[in-house]
Amino acid sequence: MTLRNCFHCGLTFTPASEVRFDEKSFCCNGCKTVYEIFSANDLSAYYDIQQSPGATPLDLQGKYDFLENEKIVAKLLEFDEGNTKVVSLHIPHIHCSSCIYLLENLHRLASGVVNSVVNFRQKSVRIAYHNDETNLKSIVTLLCKIGYEPNITLDDYGKQKKTTNKSLTIKLGVAFFCFGNIMLLSFPEYFEVNEFWLDQYKGFFRLLIFVISLPAFLYSASEYYSIAWKSIKSGFLSIEIPIALGIVVMFARSVSDMFFNHGPGFFDSMAGLIFFMLLGKTFQAKTYDFLSFERDYKSYFPVAVTQILSDRTEVNVPIYEIQKGNRILVRNQEIIPCDGILISGDAKIDYSFVTGEAIPVSKISGDKIFAGGRHIGIPAEIETLCAVSQSYLTQLWSHEIFRKSNEQKLQSITDSISRYFTPALLLVAISGFLYWCFFDMQTAWNVFTAVLIVACPCALALTAPFTLGNLIRIIGRQKLYLKNASVLERMARADTIVFDKTGTLTTSSSSTIAYQGTELSGFQIACIKKAVRASNHPLSRMLYDFLPDFNVSAPDVFEEIPSHGIHAIFDGIDLKIGSASFTDASKSAFTETAVHINCNGNHLGKFIFSNQYRSELPELLRQLNTHFKLAVLSGDNEGERKNLQKLLPRGTQMAFDQTPEQKLEFIKNLQGQGKKVIMIGDGLNDAGALAQSDVGISIAEDINIFSPACDAILDASAFGKIANFLALSRKGMLVIKLSFGLSLLYNVVGLSFAFTGNLLPLVAAIIMPLSTITIVSFVTLAGNIFARTTRVKTHETRDSKTSERMINVIVSAEPAH
């Protein structure tokens, strides 16, 4: 059967479910409606920029009614003055130029919208609107209807907008201005041009150079003075001490030469040194600011919730106003904000973020429900047991052990070398000065300044920032996003890797599905596929993708009973698809995660669902086992041990039934043995272990959606490249060491000439920036070469229907809790 693609969203569908309009094919009426809206508002160019750029619009069902509450809206606004309001909304679906085109033309779709500006990197849109013509709820509803649902969480509620610290950029700009202009004004003296008018104004130009150098010396280099002074007070000889000393000596010697007419001084070299140092810091500091590495539960919880009053009136209130004993209404796909008791009927709760388990948990009236779960099904009424701040999820996250109290006591490779370089440099400079004092004070002064200038450790200090900054970008293009450069150094020192099992070694985007029972006919399979297509339940979506395509007409009767299943009638075939109790299955079947089939009153069988290990796992484990000690932690029971033993290298440590606290203690015990630990996990139950580890890597199917606080965020599609990332981090340290060797060799040669009085300070000032450029060029080139040698082939996108591309290992299905 030939499948077709939706003109709007690109999803594939069978001809039987096709919706035709304007000679185009759509997968549903929602996509067709979006197309009509765009066409009617002269926005058809949306489809010209990129093919099928849209997303299927969602059914809101009152999800954003809380935006009618003015107190809540006021907390979300960035600007609120009179009739003009400004709000920034995070929209995860932004992915191409068509998205930008559409979102920046919102004023054509909604009267009252003044303008809208997209920040593509942060996947957000800033919207200015007039409150007398429209409101925030209308704007959000429109965005949802056209497939761009915003992600509004508690983290957005009343938070102070981030202000970017631009001081480093300003200092860099000032240093560049001073460096460029001093170089320009110094050209005549470089080439010893003896023109009358130049000689006449030489004093003026030197004074002008002195004035221009002051902002670089006093402002741009101020941080180096501050750090050097703090290092001296703490008794630690950091690399900033010789840098600051070199800058001060160059400035003092230049001022002396200028006022005593001994020469132009070294103002250009001083400004150049400051510029290159700040450039290195900027290069290293410019990282993935569009990602958040310090998230907490506020990034996950909703802003408001629907409260049911005693007279059964429903009102939307801020989430912080919910107290113990309140009744709240939780709609389909909404997050449960606080612990409570389920009052109304049955429910399915998806705890995938809290526990890592992708299969929803069944709950009946009277059961306790924990915060953090996502409700699936008809709206559920819950009586709260505590306020949001006292819920299990919030207390777990706020617990002291979950904070990264073990601030990494990492001594960077630059600091390690500076412990020896700084005292050695000072010893050579002072010794040279004292030695030449017995012969010639002028030569002694020249030797002292030449030593400090030629050996100024700018090349040493620039090596690590340029190497690590370059590697951060290379690794980022392969979809591992590091918080900062020190993470790369810690990765290179690691010797142990601990994996979470569920959601890390396994993937929630694919499952192994096996049918047990009476053989189904082709027509029965076609009817089952047609019936589950209309359901939004996760198991229904997985089953729909798994079953083969057949052409069958729509059911005569269709009804979905939330938390139970689907009842559909096709040409005399009465189908019940769903839970064991709904389909009259045997009691033993209640312990499995399965979709049961009942046809005309007879239970035929069941589709059993099992989590699937990632296809890249065997090869990744083989690569890692050669360099690292491996361990696996799981909150599941030991029923999975045998399957894991088939995959894991011999000697891999495994621990099951692990609580979040136990996972953290496991990491602590390894560190107590002197191990440098990398923890790779995905959910809240891994948050403490991620914080405690030397490097915490959070794996995410979508990097823009919530993930725990961590040192790095790994796109799940790049899971198989972990070994290559670690190898590249080690090669990065090798590049730094080679560069240090070259820099130290240069310093030894330069110092030998300077100490004997054969190297004039002017020559030293020229050689110094040349060595810096050489070192920076070397580390950049070497880093790129090593990156090519460890490049990972991009894995093919897996089709969930193609089982032969997946590992044929079935994870034991767990009983419903």
Side-chain angles (χ1 to χ4, degrees):
M1 180 181 297
T2 303
L3 297 178
R4 299 182 182 176
N5 294 95
C6 178
F7 180 76
H8 174 70
C9 69
L11 292 178
T12 56
F13 58 90
T14 60
S17 59
E18 179 182 26
V19 177
R20 295 285 295 179
F21 178 78
D22 200 14
E23 299 183 356
K24 294 176 176 60
S25 298
F26 300 93
C27 64
C28 62
N29 283 312
C31 288
K32 185 201 79 168
T33 302
V34 175
Y35 171 79
E36 288 182 276
I37 293 172
F38 292 169
S39 299
N41 290 276
D42 195 25
L43 290 173
S44 299
Y46 174 71
Y47 300 101
D48 298 335
I49 301 173
Q50 182 165 325
Q51 185 178 6
S52 305
T56 305
L58 303 174
D59 184 10
L60 301 181
Q61 298 181 345
K63 181 177 181 180
Y64 292 103
D65 286 348
F66 67 86
L67 293 178
E68 295 175 352
N69 188 317
E70 293 184 3
K71 290 198 304 182
I72 296 174
V73 171
K75 293 285 188 178
L76 296 173
L77 295 176
E78 284 187 359
F79 178 84
D80 184 2
E81 186 65 38
N83 192 38
T84 302
K85 319 286 183 183
V86 178
V87 65
S88 285
L89 300 173
H90 175 234
I91 301 179
H93 183 67
I94 296 176
H95 69 287
C96 66
S97 50
S98 290
C99 303
I100 298 174
Y101 168 77
L102 175 64
L103 293 173
E104 293 195 344
N105 281 277
L106 276 181
H107 59 278
R108 296 191 188 182
L109 299 177
S111 60
V113 173
V114 180
N115 62 67
S116 49
V117 179
V118 173
N119 185 324
F120 186 77
R121 283 173 57 83
Q122 296 183 2
K123 293 184 180 291
S124 66
V125 58
R126 190 172 188 268
I127 303 170
Y129 65 95
H130 289 153
N131 200 46
D132 59 345
E133 298 181 54
T134 188
N135 54 53
L136 185 56
K137 181 187 176 183
S138 300
I139 293 172
V140 170
T141 302
L142 172 64
L143 289 170
C144 294
K145 286 181 178 178
I146 61 177
Y148 289 89
E149 183 180 17
N151 182 30
I152 303 175
T153 66
L154 189 58
D155 196 33
D156 302 306
Y157 186 75
K159 72 175 181 180
Q160 298 295 320
K161 301 301 175 183
K162 293 181 180 179
T163 56
T164 305
N165 185 358
K166 297 181 180 179
S167 62
L168 180 59
T169 305
I170 296 172
K171 289 178 180 178
L172 178 67
V174 170
F176 180 67
F177 170 82
C178 297
F179 177 45
N181 282 280
I182 293 172
M183 288 282 287
L184 181 65
L185 294 171
S186 300
F187 270 129
E189 301 222 34
Y190 288 159
F191 299 106
E192 297 182 354
V193 178
N194 294 316
E195 294 289 341
F196 170 76
W197 66 274
L198 285 176
D199 290 336
Q200 184 179 2
Y201 292 103
K202 184 180 290 186
F204 170 76
F205 281 120
R206 287 183 178 179
L207 183 61
L208 183 59
I209 289 171
F210 166 73
V211 173
I212 294 176
S213 71
L214 289 175
F217 176 70
L218 297 175
Y219 174 67
S220 296
S222 59
E223 187 175 355
Y224 292 103
Y225 311 143
S226 174
I227 297 176
W229 178 243
K230 289 178 182 177
S231 298
I232 292 172
K233 289 198 298 183
S234 64
F236 176 72
L237 298 177
S238 69
I239 200 73
E240 282 79 13
I241 293 175
I243 291 175
L245 187 58
I247 294 172
V248 171
V249 167
M250 274 193 280
F251 182 78
R253 179 60 190 269
S254 300
V255 172
S256 173
D257 288 354
M258 182 186 70
F259 280 103
F260 292 104
N261 200 28
H262 291 160
F266 318 112
F267 293 113
D268 50 349
S269 295
M270 182 200 72
L273 168 63
I274 297 170
F275 169 69
F276 280 116
M277 294 296 302
L278 293 175
L279 184 63
K281 292 186 68 172
T282 304
F283 189 69
Q284 184 177 0
K286 193 69 175 177
T287 183
Y288 301 98
D289 52 359
F290 64 97
L291 294 176
S292 175
F293 295 91
E294 302 293 347
R295 293 163 166 169
D296 60 13
Y297 70 93
K298 295 179 183 178
S299 304
Y300 189 59
F301 275 10
V303 171
V305 68
T306 302
Q307 182 180 355
I308 303 175
L309 303 180
S310 56
D311 60 357
R312 306 300 297 174
T313 303
E314 297 180 7
V315 294
N316 294 289
V317 297
I319 195 171
Y320 283 129
E321 294 184 9
I322 294 298
Q323 299 296 325
K324 179 180 178 181
N326 290 160
R327 294 237 176 150
I328 60 174
L329 186 71
V330 182
R331 299 180 177 84
N332 183 39
Q333 298 296 320
E334 286 187 348
I335 302 297
I336 299 168
C338 45
D339 303 342
I341 301 296
L342 180 63
I343 301 298
S344 59
D346 300 341
K348 291 278 189 180
I349 310 298
D350 175 7
Y351 282 116
S352 58
F353 173 70
V354 180
T355 65
E357 185 59 56
I359 306 302
V361 177
S362 298
K363 294 290 183 180
I364 62 174
S365 181
D367 283 354
K368 183 176 180 179
I369 297 177
F370 290 100
R374 187 183 297 273
H375 172 59
I376 301 173
I378 61 174
E381 187 174 332
I382 297 173
E383 183 171 317
T384 60
L385 294 175
C386 58
V388 173
S389 60
Q390 297 174 322
S391 69
Y392 168 76
L393 179 68
T394 310
Q395 289 185 347
L396 185 61
W397 203 294
S398 303
H399 198 288
E400 184 178 355
I401 65 171
F402 277 70
R403 300 173 187 168
K404 197 142 191 168
S405 56
N406 65 319
E407 287 302 324
Q408 307 298 340
K409 298 178 181 178
L410 172 78
Q411 187 178 46
S412 71
I413 190 168
T414 305
D415 290 335
S416 300
I417 291 180
S418 71
R419 290 176 55 194
Y420 306 101
F421 179 87
T422 301
L425 173 62
L426 295 175
L427 180 62
V428 171
I430 294 172
S431 299
F433 178 77
L434 294 176
Y435 173 79
W436 283 102
C437 279
F438 294 103
F439 303 98
D440 181 18
M441 284 300 298
Q442 180 64 34
T443 304
W445 179 241
N446 284 342
V447 168
F448 180 76
T449 54
V451 166
L452 291 175
I453 293 172
V454 75
C456 183
C458 58
L460 288 175
L462 285 174
T463 293
F466 273 93
T467 303
L468 299 178
N470 189 37
L471 291 182
I472 282 178
R473 281 152 185 78
I474 292 171
I475 290 175
R477 288 196 291 268
Q478 296 292 327
K479 300 184 179 181
L480 174 63
Y481 306 95
L482 305 183
K483 182 178 180 181
N484 52 48
S486 69
V487 176
L488 206 57
E489 290 194 53
R490 299 201 298 272
M491 285 172 59
R493 299 183 183 192
D495 53 23
T496 304
I497 300 178
V498 179
F499 290 96
D500 169 56
K501 182 182 76 68
T502 307
T504 303
L505 299 184
T506 63
T507 173
S508 60
S509 62
S510 180
S511 292
T512 296
I513 303 176
Y515 176 73
Q516 290 183 2
T518 306
E519 185 177 355
L520 300 173
S521 67
F523 182 64
Q524 287 173 327
I525 293 174
C527 293
I528 294 170
K529 185 177 179 75
K530 190 72 173 180
V532 297
R533 182 181 184 274
S535 173
N536 195 40
H537 193 282
L539 296 183
S540 296
R541 295 197 297 270
M542 293 180 190
L543 185 58
Y544 177 81
D545 290 334
F546 172 77
L547 295 174
D549 290 306
F550 290 99
N551 191 9
V552 66
S553 59
D556 301 319
V557 175
F558 177 87
E559 181 185 11
E560 182 171 12
I561 299 94
S563 304
H564 292 285
I566 297 170
H567 179 216
I569 299 176
F570 295 84
D571 294 334
I573 291 183
D574 192 334
L575 277 178
K576 285 186 177 180
I577 306 168
S579 66
S581 59
F582 182 63
T583 56
D584 302 322
S586 63
K587 291 185 178 180
S588 62
F590 282 76
T591 62
E592 297 172 319
T593 301
V595 171
H596 294 260
I597 307 298
N598 182 303
C599 182
N600 294 328
N602 298 314
H603 183 266
L604 299 182
K606 58 195 174 186
F607 290 94
I608 301 174
F609 292 75
S610 307
N611 284 341
Q612 184 72 59
Y613 285 108
R614 298 184 186 275
S615 62
E616 314 95 320
L617 185 59
E619 176 63 18
L620 174 63
L621 294 175
R622 185 191 66 79
Q623 295 172 353
L624 293 176
N625 191 45
T626 59
H627 292 94
F628 301 92
K629 178 182 177 181
L630 302 179
V632 174
L633 303 179
S634 175
D636 303 335
N637 58 46
E638 294 212 15
E640 185 54 22
R641 182 181 289 274
K642 290 183 179 179
N643 287 328
L644 276 174
Q645 286 175 338
K646 298 175 185 178
L647 284 173
L648 298 172
R650 184 172 299 178
T652 300
Q653 190 173 358
M654 290 182 285
F656 296 90
D657 296 312
Q658 296 289 292
T659 65
E661 293 85 355
Q662 288 173 325
K663 288 186 177 183
L664 183 145
E665 287 300 323
F666 185 91
I667 301 295
K668 272 188 177 181
N669 290 336
L670 288 175
Q671 292 173 327
Q673 301 168 23
K675 303 293 185 182
K676 303 296 183 184
V677 184
I678 295 175
M679 173 68 193
I680 304 177
D682 72 315
L684 172 64
N685 56 343
D686 306 317
L690 289 170
Q692 177 63 36
S693 61
D694 295 275
V695 178
I697 301 177
S698 174
I699 185 169
E701 300 291 342
D702 184 345
I703 61 169
N704 294 288
I705 303 301
F706 184 79
S707 59
C710 56
D711 297 305
I713 298 175
L714 174 68
D715 192 298
S717 63
F719 179 77
K721 304 176 185 178
I722 291 175
N724 298 77
F725 294 144
L726 295 172
L728 186 56
S729 70
R730 293 193 296 272
K731 289 181 179 179
M733 294 303 104
L734 176 61
V735 170
I736 292 174
K737 290 174 183 176
L738 291 174
S739 176
F740 281 165
L742 288 175
S743 180
L744 290 172
L745 178 63
Y746 152 79
N747 279 320
V748 168
V749 174
L751 286 173
S752 63
F753 281 96
F755 189 85
T756 57
N758 295 319
L759 185 66
L760 294 175
L762 177 61
V763 178
I766 295 173
I767 293 176
M768 182 270 295
L770 291 178
S771 70
T772 300
I773 295 172
T774 303
I775 293 296
V776 169
S777 301
F778 169 75
V779 298
T780 304
L781 181 62
N784 289 335
I785 291 174
F786 279 137
R788 291 192 186 97
T789 60
T790 56
R791 180 172 293 175
V792 183
K793 292 181 180 179
T794 304
H795 292 279
E796 293 182 273
T797 302
R798 297 189 303 275
D799 188 342
S800 59
K801 300 177 186 178
T802 313
S803 59
E804 59 267 25
R805 294 185 186 177
M806 304 298 290
I807 307 170
N808 191 22
V809 179
I810 299 177
V811 182
S812 301
E814 293 188 56
H817 297 286

